[in-house]
Amino acid sequence: MSAKTKRSKEKAVIEQMIALYCRKNHKQAMCEDCQRLLEYACQRIDCCPFMETKSFCSNCKVHCYQSEMREKIRKVMRFSGPRMLFHKPWLVVSHIYHSRKERNL
């Protein structure tokens, strides 16, 4: 899979997770804070030098998020991760498969 394809898939997943978090916690499609978090995450994904060799940011040895944004994205992922199984099950299955595959390499 090309880095460009991986970037677009990772952006789609993070957008889904942030949107789910915002809908459930802020009762909006996408509030200003969540939109800024999404833009920041997409910027980090675009600048990632390891995209060819990694599957997801959670599997990366280098964490490029600022500490405040890293805490926000963790909060979103902790909330949205389990709920994604009910909203976008194919994304969860794909994520688990690719994460485990990478760890076993």
Side-chain angles (χ1 to χ4, degrees), residues 79-104:
F79 179 86
S80 297
R83 289 162 180 84
M84 290 292 285
L85 190 56
F86 301 105
H87 294 273
K88 304 287 183 181
W90 63 92
L91 288 177
V92 175
V93 171
S94 174
H95 179 78
I96 291 170
Y97 171 77
H98 290 293
S99 292
R100 291 192 179 198
K101 183 178 172 185
E102 183 174 303
R103 286 186 193 133
N104 291 333

Side-chain angles (χ1 to χ4, degrees), residues 19-34:
L20 175 61
Y21 176 85
C22 194
R23 271 194 317 272
K24 299 293 184 181
N25 289 281
H26 304 144
K27 310 297 184 214
Q28 297 181 30
M30 186 75 72
C31 70
E32 271 185 50
D33 284 343
C34 290

Side-chain angles (χ1 to χ4, degrees), residues 6-48:
K6 285 171 116 178
R7 285 181 208 279
S8 64
K9 283 188 176 196
E10 193 157 338
K11 285 179 187 179
V13 170
I14 198 68
E15 184 175 5
Q16 292 287 327
M17 292 182 90
I18 293 172
L20 175 61
Y21 176 85
C22 194
R23 271 194 317 272
K24 299 293 184 181
N25 289 281
H26 304 144
K27 310 297 184 214
Q28 297 181 30
M30 186 75 72
C31 70
E32 271 185 50
D33 284 343
C34 290
Q35 184 61 43
R36 276 196 298 275
L37 181 61
L38 176 60
E39 289 168 5
Y40 181 82
C42 288
Q43 177 191 22
R44 299 284 64 192
I45 292 167
D46 285 337
C47 296
C48 180

Side-chain angles (χ1 to χ4, degrees), residues 24-81:
K24 299 293 184 181
N25 289 281
H26 304 144
K27 310 297 184 214
Q28 297 181 30
M30 186 75 72
C31 70
E32 271 185 50
D33 284 343
C34 290
Q35 184 61 43
R36 276 196 298 275
L37 181 61
L38 176 60
E39 289 168 5
Y40 181 82
C42 288
Q43 177 191 22
R44 299 284 64 192
I45 292 167
D46 285 337
C47 296
C48 180
F50 305 109
M51 194 56 67
E52 289 286 339
T53 58
K54 72 169 181 89
S55 59
F56 301 101
C57 292
S58 58
N59 294 341
C60 192
K61 290 172 178 49
V62 177
H63 296 289
C64 59
Y65 281 59
Q66 295 172 354
S67 59
E68 179 186 338
M69 295 303 246
R70 188 175 345 167
E71 200 49 46
K72 286 181 180 182
I73 203 73
R74 275 188 187 144
K75 187 176 180 181
V76 167
M77 289 183 175
R78 268 189 235 120
F79 179 86
S80 297

